Amino acid sequence: MGKFDNPICHAAALVFSGGWTWACFAFLVGYSRRSKVESALLASSALAVAVVVYYVFKFMLPTAPVGRVISSGAGEGLASKILVWGIAAFVFGAPLGLFGNIARTHGIGGLPFRLLIPLTAFIETSARLDTEAHSQGLVVEITWNAIRIAAGAAFVALLVHGLMTWRAQRDTPDPDAVEVGALVDRL
């Protein structure tokens, strides 16, 4: 996406360069699995493979800012980047996958884990707005602000939904208790 001189492509490249999108990928892999062990292993492996694919594509299709020519080799440090980020992805992918699996827990138990990705996106984009947005132009600033607003809205929506669901479940009588009560009344 970074090869095209188009604000939408530039914004998409910014989104996919953020750490929260990589965390979200591992989290969703874990969320999709039933087994906690499988969630951790599959998320870890998938994230490591994604890092390798990312750097291979970056090597095959080097991106230069508009008007500049790449003077050094496109793959400079490729193996070291794959090794460092691949190991980091493998190590951090496991807990993210496990958190994704735990987020499947209904009610309040899974709520903190469901809030993890929107919170991460909000914190990261806020930091990026403070450090890099002003020096890199309007598209960068608009993109990070849009992600931050969307992450904040998702956080609030997940929180409200989780609390409303928990309250509805708490106020609903337990069917087993109702049957026992009816049986006691008949006796």
Side-chain angles (χ1 to χ4, degrees):
M1 298 305 277
K3 294 182 80 58
F4 303 104
D5 190 23
N6 177 324
I8 303 232
C9 292
H10 185 58
L14 285 170
V15 169
F16 292 116
S17 72
W20 72 270
T21 54
W22 293 85
C24 184
F25 173 64
F27 182 88
L28 290 174
V29 169
Y31 189 86
S32 70
R33 310 309 309 161
R34 290 185 189 263
S35 160
K36 287 180 178 31
V37 172
E38 186 180 3
S39 294
L41 291 175
L42 195 57
S44 188
S45 301
L47 195 57
V49 168
V51 166
V52 172
V53 169
Y54 172 80
Y55 280 110
V56 167
F57 270 96
K58 197 169 181 169
F59 171 73
M60 291 172 34
L61 304 166
T63 302
V66 177
R68 289 185 45 198
V69 177
I70 298 175
S71 59
S72 64
E76 192 173 296
L78 178 69
S80 62
K81 288 178 183 177
I82 289 175
L83 184 64
V84 168
W85 286 109
I87 290 171
F90 194 79
V91 169
F92 292 114
L96 285 166
L98 181 62
F99 294 160
N101 183 277
I102 296 170
R104 296 169 46 115
T105 305
H106 297 290
I108 292 290
L111 182 60
F113 297 97
R114 288 190 293 274
L115 296 174
L116 184 63
I117 297 300
L119 181 62
T120 302
F122 185 86
I123 290 170
E124 181 184 359
T125 54
S126 295
R128 286 180 179 256
L129 274 166
D130 289 342
T131 58
E132 68 185 44
H134 302 297
S135 64
Q136 292 188 11
L138 188 60
V139 172
V140 173
E141 192 168 343
I142 289 171
T143 302
W144 291 133
N145 269 317
I147 292 169
R148 187 167 70 161
I149 290 168
F155 184 91
V156 170
L158 286 168
L159 182 63
V160 168
H161 178 267
L163 293 175
M164 288 176 61
T165 303
W166 172 70
R167 185 169 184 188
Q169 289 173 347
R170 191 177 58 120
D171 293 343
T172 304
D174 185 16
D176 294 334
V178 172
E179 288 178 20
V180 169
L183 182 61
V184 169
D185 288 342
R186 281 189 255 169
L187 292 174

